[in-house]
Amino acid sequence: MTIVRQNAQNTTVSPSVNTPETLVEKVIEAERMHDVLLLLQNLINSEEATIKLILDCLYDVGSVNLINQKLRMKPLNRVMKLIARMSKPVFRTLAFNWFKKNCPQLITNWLHTQVTFRSTQNIPQQVAVEVAELQPYPLPPTENLSQEIKNLRSQVRWLAGISIIAIAVLAMTAIKLN
C-alpha cells in the first residue's frame, strides 16, 4: 500500500486485492494522507519562527563543521567563519523557502511508509486514484520585511568588504612567498 506522488493531482496506490472494498479503503487512505500534507503545510505556515530558529541552529553547527573540515589554515578558517555568520540571513530565507516547498511532501511520504507495514518484497500492480489539487494556505503578511532587507543589505556590504580584505591578504601572501 505505498502512495507514490506523481503531481499535485494524481496519486497511485498499490492494492493487494482489487475488490471494491479495498479500492474504497485506498481512496480514503489517499484522502487522509492528503489531509496530513495540508496539515503539515498549515503547521509550517503557522510556526515559521520556530522553523527558522531550527534552520539557524542547523546552519550554525553545519557551517562550522564544514569550514573546520575543509579549511585547516587558522586565518582563512576564521575569515570563512565570519563570512558564514554574516550570510546566515540569506541562508535562512533560502532554506525556509525550500523547506516550505519540499518538506511537507517528504514528511508525508515518510509518515505514510511508517504506517503501511508493508514488506518491500511484495509489490503488486499500481492503480491510479484522483486527489484534489493542493490549495496552499495564504502566507501571513510580513510587517518587518523592509527592516530585514536593510539588515541584509548591511550584511552584504560587510561581506563584500571582508571578501576584498581577504583577497588582498591572500594576494599579499602570494607575493611574499614568490
Side-chain angles (χ1 to χ4, degrees):
M1 272 194 332
T2 55
I3 290 183
V4 178
R5 176 93 34 210
Q6 292 175 339
N7 60 32
Q9 295 177 344
N10 292 327
T11 302
T12 54
V13 293
S14 306
S16 55
V17 180
N18 289 332
T19 65
E21 185 177 296
T22 57
L23 288 177
V24 169
E25 290 173 355
K26 301 303 176 205
V27 169
I28 292 172
E29 178 182 334
E31 288 173 355
R32 296 305 290 169
M33 293 313 297
H34 179 72
D35 291 346
V36 169
L37 177 66
L38 292 176
L39 289 168
L40 284 168
Q41 288 175 335
N42 186 34
L43 178 68
I44 288 171
N45 287 335
S46 65
E47 295 297 328
E48 180 177 340
T50 305
I51 291 170
K52 285 184 176 180
L53 288 172
I54 291 169
L55 291 172
D56 281 350
C57 294
L58 293 173
Y59 181 77
D60 290 340
V61 172
S63 63
V64 168
N65 287 338
L66 181 65
I67 291 169
N68 286 341
Q69 181 182 9
K70 298 293 181 181
L71 301 172
R72 301 282 184 210
M73 293 178 13
K74 286 285 185 189
L76 190 57
N77 186 300
R78 288 182 190 138
V79 169
M80 289 306 293
K81 285 180 184 175
L82 181 62
I83 291 171
R85 260 185 265 133
M86 290 191 334
S87 65
K88 187 183 347 184
V90 175
F91 166 81
R92 181 189 310 131
T93 303
L94 294 174
F96 180 72
N97 288 335
W98 182 90
F99 187 92
K100 188 168 53 171
K101 180 182 176 185
N102 297 308
C103 283
Q105 187 63 55
L106 292 171
I107 294 169
T108 301
N109 291 345
W110 178 77
L111 289 171
H112 187 255
T113 62
Q114 299 303 303
V115 296
T116 54
F117 308 112
R118 183 171 163 221
S119 69
T120 57
Q121 297 144 351
N122 247 354
I123 301 178
Q125 73 184 50
Q126 305 274 316
V127 175
V129 176
E130 290 292 321
V131 177
E133 186 174 338
L134 295 178
Q135 298 296 325
Y137 292 95
L139 296 176
T142 307
E143 298 165 356
N144 59 354
L145 185 61
S146 62
Q147 182 62 35
E148 190 170 339
I149 290 172
K150 289 178 184 175
N151 291 340
L152 287 174
R153 286 181 179 159
S154 170
Q155 290 177 351
V156 166
R157 277 188 235 116
W158 271 99
L159 181 61
I162 290 173
S163 297
I164 291 170
I165 291 170
I167 291 171
V169 168
L170 184 63
M172 288 175 32
T173 306
I175 290 171
K176 285 184 179 180
L177 291 176
N178 287 338

